[in-house]
Amino acid sequence: MLHGGPGLPDYLGDVAPAIAGLAPVHRYDQRGTGGSRWQGRHTFARHVADLAELLDGWDAPQAVLIGHSYGADLAVRFCLAHPERVAAVLLMCGPMTDEGRPGYRAERDRRMSPARQERLRELEGIPRRTDDQEVELLALSWFTDHADPDHGWRRAVRSARRRRPVNWEMNRELGAERRADPIEQHLDELRGCLPPRTEILGGAADPRPVSALESLARTLGVPLTRIDGAGHEPWLEEPDAVRAHLRRFVRAAVGH
């Protein structure tokens, strides 16, 4: 299971129980996050190599990859580098292509009051934030990811307190590399190396437009499932639907 960010520690502990008992489930903090401390430049190649080394350590010649958000970017780049090691891949709420970025920014702004937009800009301009300021910045950045804004704010505050510290340098470096080498440049190659069992899952109320995921699914020739009433972390708002989808996908992938 590949968590998002980039720059956040693993947060998929709430998702992993959905597939308990179907196969061994591995999670990890990506290099530079959580318990995986590291100083140095972050690249996709380094993080892809990390995953290959972890699979070796877990004695897993092949794996079913479930990537969320940035973790979906990492999953497809791993497929490009090591297609023989991927038995199946589920891309949850990502990867986000350039097609979806303008719509995402517009919808995020629509869900946020002018006062909150101004406060977010103010916090982003502070070079050294206090812990309380960091929590507030993250909550403002994340609450619009949820379909329900009231519940979304409470969930975002809770996540902002748990998913820390954020490795902002990692976020900037991998974000810059993603812009310089977008996944759109590799879609033909990716279509040829994805495993037959590849699916995309998206929250219909994710501010990142699900239409961009639908376009990506058509280009890659893979199915997409929309979870109605759910945003960027669909397991929080529609847990039963996401659990059923994950169990069906993994059960089919591992032959149960």
Side-chain angles (χ1 to χ4, degrees), residues 26 52-62 85:
H26 297 285
E53 291 180 24
L54 285 167
L55 293 179
D56 290 341
W58 293 324
D59 193 24
Q62 276 198 325
R85 304 205 66 171

Side-chain angles (χ1 to χ4, degrees), residues 95-232:
M96 187 165 70
T97 61
D98 286 342
E99 177 183 338
R101 295 185 195 284
Y104 167 55
R105 288 190 291 267
E107 180 61 17
R108 184 186 63 180
D109 289 347
R110 189 190 69 79
R111 298 184 187 191
M112 193 182 303
S113 69
R116 281 180 162 171
Q117 292 179 40
E118 177 59 30
R119 179 57 176 163
L120 178 57
R121 286 191 293 269
E122 178 183 324
L123 290 167
E124 289 173 336
I126 298 175
R128 293 190 177 182
R129 291 180 288 270
T130 66
D131 284 349
D132 287 345
Q133 288 172 334
E134 185 79 350
V135 168
E136 185 183 4
L137 179 144
L138 293 174
L140 285 167
S141 300
W142 294 343
F143 85 96
T144 56
D145 282 349
H146 302 279
D148 183 313
D150 293 331
H151 289 159
W153 179 257
R154 291 192 290 273
R155 288 177 176 130
V157 170
R158 185 165 59 248
S159 295
R161 289 174 176 152
R162 294 169 56 191
R163 300 177 189 177
R164 297 178 55 233
V166 177
N167 187 331
W168 291 109
E169 184 177 5
M170 174 182 172
N171 182 275
R172 286 190 295 271
E173 290 175 349
L174 290 178
E177 184 174 357
R178 180 164 52 183
R179 289 189 295 274
D181 182 27
I183 197 64
E184 290 95 321
Q185 294 184 359
H186 304 280
L187 293 184
D188 288 341
E189 181 185 358
L190 185 60
R191 190 166 49 242
C193 70
L194 286 172
R197 191 169 300 281
T198 297
E199 297 185 19
I200 300 176
L201 180 147
D206 190 338
R208 298 155 185 81
V210 72
S211 59
L213 289 182
E214 291 170 340
S215 178
L216 179 65
R218 287 193 298 272
T219 300
L220 296 177
V222 302
L224 178 140
T225 298
R226 296 164 51 111
I227 303 295
D228 291 330
H232 192 58

